[in-house]
Amino acid sequence: MTGTGGEEMGVQAARSRALAVLRVRSRALAVALLPAAAAVILLAGGATGHLTGGVWDALRWVVSVLALLVLAAAAAVALVVARARPAVTPTVTVDEESAPDLYGMVRDLADRLDVPAPSAIALTPDCDSWLEDRTHPAHGRPPPAAEPDGATLPGGPAPRRGDAAPVLVIGSPFLWWMRVGELRAVLAPVVAGTGPSAHPDIAAARRFIRGLDAAAAVVSAGGRRGPLSRAVHGGLGRVVRLLLRGCRVHAAEMERGVAWAAAERAQAVDYGVRIVAQEQVGLAYAGWDRLLTRVALPAWRMGRWPARLDVGVVAALTELSRRDRLAEGFASRLGERPACDLLEEPGAMDEAVSLLAARLFHGGPSGASPDWSPVGWDDYPEEVVDRTWRTDAARLHRVLDALGVRRAAGHTAPGTGGPTLARVLDHLTTPADEASPGALPTPDPAAAPDPATAPGAAPTRAHAAEPVEPAGRAEPPGSAEPAGGDGSVTRTGSPADAVPHRPPAPAHGDHDTHGGHLATHPHVAQPDAAHLEADLPGGDSDDPPGHRRATPATPAAAPTPAAAPAVDEADDDDLAGTTARGAALAAGLSAQLAREEAEASVTGAVAPDAPPAAAAPTAGPAPDPALWDDRALPLLPLQPPRTGREILTAHVTAMVCCAAMDTAGAVPGLDWLDGPSLLFDGVRAADLAPSVLTLVETGDPGPLRTWMTELGIRPEKPVRLV
């Protein structure tokens, strides 16, 4: 059923479920008051002379004590539920002065839908939009509701906090990628939800559910001292969880009814445009996911945060429309007015949302500092890509020094002691008479230089401790695919530095087979995006960031600096197919990364608030401080740990890229869809990842040496490290 009838049915279904939730609350109150009522009856009977005798006196005492205990427990539960702070999504509030056109569009939409207008608008670094109730006292003073002229009398009572309309939260990628008409169509069902939300029964049921949920989080928090405290919180937790189980089904059906009613009401507004806009929603998911994992994460781990992430989404999706035949029609939309024009200062808003994204997905500081500064897209290749590769290469040579590997290979010129790619190749090459892969190589103590005096052994910045992430199917240098067939990856380090990973695809061959575009050089391929079909709507990609919002993860405690973790069982299984020298080098790199991450976490714990840097961003909107709990950052870590093979492959690839830049004239580059890339004459290099994997897994340097020879890379030449 559609139209008004369907809408009314949705509201009635939601209201009936809300009443069911409120009945659970009433039953719980009745159970708490039942012993007190029995005690009152017994006391009244004794006072009037009807219930006298020793048995009745004893029963009065027992029931009265039980009633006091039950009332005390009920009061404790009610106090915890009332004082607990409901979870709220961290956002950037958009003031009406900074976006009058956006507020005007939302209010006009609410008028057409005949529903209350949202009390405020906020932006989130996510591809989703929703209504959020922020009427709890812990969330600060609610914004004044927009009332029509003459709606209230002068001096009349102010609106109650519970009567305030919910806040409209909009995903920032929608504002930059969508056109104004498309954004309006997408927001119509969301804004229509303010109508059912204003119903008193539905609002009361939602407040009760949020209070129980917040109380469950409070009583389940660790760190309780003493058996009495743990026992009290355990009892409160059991009661709260029992109430939640009784409300769970009814609450889910209530929200389904609210969504049903909102969708039915919104059908009368921009229905045809909304169908087209939903395609842009799916495309924005894919572009935002790739931008975070392939482009933003390497910068965050270097201590830099891209200050224009939303602009990057537009660039990434425009590049996708240029490459992929599936998106040929999307480029024509760029001539229409973008939704970000509804903001007075879109650049400042983009900067605030970009900083919020860094905090949510990486756990970065709340503002700029010497070790946490913004970076522009023009400076990204030099400030992020180049420095990341050279940092990884320096770490690789420090571990080789610790293993006792000689700096000068036998075929190099006398006196050559600088960091060279030939040193890495010679060490990973498997001799014909080498033992089985299970045995580790024996280092040469006489040839091991002092790591403190070795070139490139100077400590790097804490944020520069991580290598470039795998770039997926396009296989740009500085990245590598996992060798496992199931696509699972692990990494030694803290979960705060984690990034999502997709299942690997077979490596490309010497020729580009997608679309018939051949490279101008046999080992330099033209960009192609046919492999991005999995990221488009309906593909076999992972859930987008919007789907991850509902399942936040709390980072685990960082290891202590004194402990250098050994390779775990998963790493042992992963390295079983590699050579003995590769396994030893991967274990050393994993331990070195863990030490650097532990030192970074200790440094951050000692001095969390560094002084502002000279390159601090301009003053503008900032994330709402009342919504933050810095102890739980990052709320949404992006990737599980990597295996030792992944770490080793990334470091060897970084060393190859450094040699290519210093000896063959290559330059670091930024691909909007695949992140850091190596460019020869403006064209991305191809076929590097399969050659590096062959070296790491089998100890055969032949394919990699052939690749380097054809591009003119000199492995015996020293390279510059950080």
Side-chain angles (χ1 to χ4, degrees):
M1 181 178 294
T2 60
T4 305
E7 177 189 342
E8 292 298 330
M9 289 183 61
V11 174
Q12 291 176 6
R15 183 175 180 272
S16 64
R17 292 294 182 168
L19 292 175
V21 172
L22 296 179
R23 280 196 294 270
V24 173
R25 184 183 65 177
S26 301
R27 293 190 188 108
L29 181 60
V31 170
L33 295 177
L34 185 60
V40 169
I41 294 174
L42 292 174
L43 290 173
T48 57
H50 291 83
L51 302 176
T52 58
V55 175
W56 289 108
D57 291 340
L59 185 60
R60 266 191 292 271
W61 278 105
V62 172
V63 174
S64 298
V65 172
L66 178 62
L68 291 176
L69 292 177
V70 172
L71 288 177
V77 173
L79 183 63
V80 171
V81 172
R83 293 176 60 89
R85 177 179 177 177
V88 177
T89 307
T91 55
V92 176
T93 300
V94 181
D95 298 328
E96 187 170 358
E97 294 78 10
S98 62
D101 293 342
L102 180 60
Y103 272 82
M105 185 193 75
V106 172
R107 286 172 182 162
D108 177 69
L109 190 59
D111 290 341
R112 290 189 58 185
L113 294 170
D114 194 21
V115 296
S119 59
I121 298 176
L123 297 184
T124 178
D126 203 350
C127 290
D128 202 355
S129 297
W130 65 91
L131 293 172
E132 194 163 82
D133 186 2
R134 297 184 179 179
T135 57
H136 193 274
H139 298 151
R141 183 177 181 180
E147 298 290 345
D149 296 339
T152 57
L153 296 176
R160 296 177 301 171
R161 176 178 291 272
D163 296 336
V167 175
L168 174 61
V169 182
I170 305 175
S172 63
F174 294 165
L175 277 174
W176 268 260
W177 174 245
M178 289 186 174
R179 310 299 99 179
V180 174
E182 294 170 349
L183 180 66
R184 178 188 178 93
V186 168
L187 293 181
V190 183
V191 175
T194 60
S197 299
H199 195 283
D201 294 335
I202 296 176
R206 283 178 166 177
R207 285 194 297 270
F208 180 58
I209 293 296
R210 285 195 302 270
L212 290 179
D213 184 67
V218 170
V219 299
S220 62
R224 306 297 177 191
R225 297 181 179 179
L228 180 60
S229 177
R230 288 194 294 269
V232 170
H233 282 86
L236 292 176
R238 282 190 290 270
V239 173
V240 170
R241 286 189 290 270
L242 178 63
L243 293 175
L244 280 175
R245 283 195 296 269
C247 300
R248 180 181 304 160
V249 175
H250 300 302
E253 293 298 328
M254 178 185 67
E255 297 300 336
R256 188 174 289 110
V258 170
W260 178 12
E264 292 290 344
R265 182 180 290 267
Q267 282 189 359
V269 179
D270 300 334
Y271 180 74
V273 181
R274 188 160 67 252
I275 297 176
V276 178
Q278 289 301 325
E279 300 178 1
Q280 308 307 318
V281 172
L283 194 65
Y285 270 122
W288 182 248
D289 187 30
R290 294 182 74 91
L291 186 78
L292 289 181
T293 59
R294 309 292 178 87
V295 178
L297 189 70
W300 292 341
R301 294 158 70 183
M302 286 291 299
R304 310 296 298 275
W305 51 278
R308 296 292 186 269
L309 279 180
D310 292 306
V311 173
V313 171
V314 178
L317 295 178
T318 304
E319 179 68 13
L320 175 61
S321 66
R322 185 185 68 84
R323 294 186 188 182
D324 203 319
R325 291 190 299 270
L326 295 177
E328 287 178 354
F330 296 148
S332 60
R333 302 170 48 261
L334 302 181
E336 304 174 13
R337 185 189 182 194
C340 63
D341 281 356
L342 300 174
L343 305 174
E344 290 293 319
E345 297 181 358
M349 198 64 64
D350 191 3
E351 188 170 320
V353 174
S354 299
L355 180 59
L356 176 59
R359 301 204 71 197
L360 279 174
F361 299 111
H362 184 67
S366 59
S369 67
D371 290 333
W372 184 249
S373 56
V375 60
W377 293 124
D378 293 338
D379 300 328
Y380 185 94
E382 183 67 25
E383 297 292 334
V384 177
V385 181
D386 181 85
R387 187 171 180 81
T388 300
W389 286 342
R390 298 189 187 279
T391 299
D392 291 351
R395 185 184 301 110
L396 178 61
H397 281 277
R398 288 198 300 272
V399 174
L400 288 175
D401 291 338
L403 292 176
V405 179
R406 292 190 301 271
R407 278 191 167 265
H411 61 274
T412 57
T416 302
T420 63
L421 176 58
R423 180 194 190 197
V424 179
L425 297 179
D426 292 341
H427 175 70
L428 292 177
T429 300
T430 303
D433 56 348
E434 184 173 292
S436 62
L440 297 180
T442 303
D444 184 4
D450 185 3
T453 60
T460 60
R461 295 192 313 173
H463 292 287
E466 292 291 332
V468 173
E469 279 303 321
R473 302 182 182 179
E475 305 168 358
S479 63
E481 296 178 8
D486 58 356
S488 60
V489 291
T490 57
R491 177 175 63 83
T492 303
S494 65
D497 295 328
V499 214
H501 180 77
R502 303 185 186 276
H508 292 293
D510 291 344
H511 300 283
D512 185 3
T513 59
H514 299 285
H517 300 288
L518 297 179
T520 55
H521 191 281
H523 290 275
V524 179
Q526 297 287 351
D528 193 306
H531 59 275
L532 301 179
E533 293 179 7
D535 289 330
L536 294 176
D540 297 330
S541 59
D542 298 334
D543 287 342
H547 292 180
R548 295 190 295 264
R549 179 175 55 83
T551 56
T554 302
T560 58
V567 182
D568 56 15
E569 294 181 1
D571 285 338
D572 288 336
D573 295 339
D574 178 74
L575 296 173
T578 62
T579 63
R581 295 183 178 184
L585 186 55
L589 288 171
S590 301
Q592 179 67 19
L593 278 172
R595 283 192 294 268
E596 293 175 1
E597 290 170 355
E599 292 171 0
S601 63
V602 171
T603 303
V606 173
D609 295 326
T618 58
D624 305 323
L627 308 180
W628 280 110
D629 181 8
D630 289 344
R631 296 169 298 177
L633 292 177
L635 298 179
L636 305 170
L638 295 180
Q639 176 189 357
R642 295 183 305 169
T643 61
R645 183 186 308 194
E646 277 278 322
I647 295 174
L648 175 60
T649 304
H651 282 70
V652 174
T653 305
M655 187 63 199
V656 174
C657 293
C658 291
M661 291 187 294
D662 292 347
T663 67
V667 295
L670 168 62
D671 187 278
W672 290 111
L673 296 172
D674 292 317
S677 58
L678 186 68
L679 303 180
F680 284 91
D681 297 328
V683 182
R684 287 181 55 186
D687 302 330
L688 174 57
S691 303
V692 173
L693 283 175
T694 301
L695 173 65
V696 170
E697 295 174 356
T698 65
D700 180 15
L704 182 58
R705 289 188 181 277
T706 302
W707 184 87
M708 293 188 299
T709 300
E710 295 185 358
L711 291 176
I713 301 175
R714 304 284 299 277
E716 72 280 0
K717 294 288 186 179
V719 299
R720 177 175 60 87
L721 304 179
V722 293

